[in-house]
């Protein structure tokens, strides 16, 4: 499965920024060893259901350490029997673009 998720603390630093809390969550994902990528809006992670959800929970817990309330947006692509789709899905779209 691939999960795209975004964690938002309700409190930020003195400027309203949340990058430190978000960085702590991304660090959890990267240290998990699962395939992942982070963009301006979401972090994507790929693996089996239980391992992915455990990483998402740990990332939320890290943010909750610095914020009394945490928002989580999560979208999942559940396709049993397929792996490597974090990059393969993008490669298929790029090939289609090259053909047109």
């Amino acid at each position: 499965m691939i999960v795209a998720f975004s964690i938002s603390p309700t409190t930020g630093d003195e400027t309203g920024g949340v990058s430190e809390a978000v960085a702590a969550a991304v660090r959890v994902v990267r240290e998990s060893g699962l395939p992942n990528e982070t963009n301006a809006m979401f972090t994507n992670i790929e693996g089996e259901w239980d391992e992915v959800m455990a990483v998402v929970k740990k990332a939320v817990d890290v943010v909750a350490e610095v914020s009394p309330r945490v928002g989580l947006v999560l979208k999942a692509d559940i396709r049993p029997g397929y792996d490597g789709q974090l990059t393969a899905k993008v490669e298929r779209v790029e090939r289609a673009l090259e053909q047109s």
Side-chain angles (χ1 to χ4, degrees):
M1 80 183 304
I2 297 173
V3 167
F5 71 101
S6 175
I7 300 173
S8 302
T10 58
T11 56
D13 62 20
E14 62 278 354
T15 68
V18 296
S19 60
E20 290 298 321
V22 171
V26 171
R27 189 172 296 110
V28 166
V29 174
R30 291 184 179 173
E31 290 175 354
S32 75
L34 295 175
N36 67 85
E37 62 184 18
T38 299
N39 59 51
M41 297 295 293
F42 287 92
T43 293
N44 301 319
I45 184 170
E46 182 175 12
E48 297 299 319
W49 182 279
D50 290 340
E51 61 188 357
V52 168
M53 291 304 174
V55 172
V56 171
K57 181 185 183 316
K58 187 174 179 182
V60 168
D61 290 345
V62 166
V63 173
E65 291 175 6
V66 297
S67 180
R69 190 172 186 177
V70 179
L72 172 67
V73 175
L74 186 143
K75 181 178 180 180
D77 180 0
I78 303 161
R79 193 174 184 194
Y82 288 81
D83 59 2
Q85 296 303 296
L86 194 63
T87 55
K89 289 174 74 168
V90 176
E91 290 167 358
R92 287 192 295 273
V93 171
E94 291 296 336
R95 279 196 305 273
L97 287 168
E98 290 171 0
Q99 295 172 1
S100 51

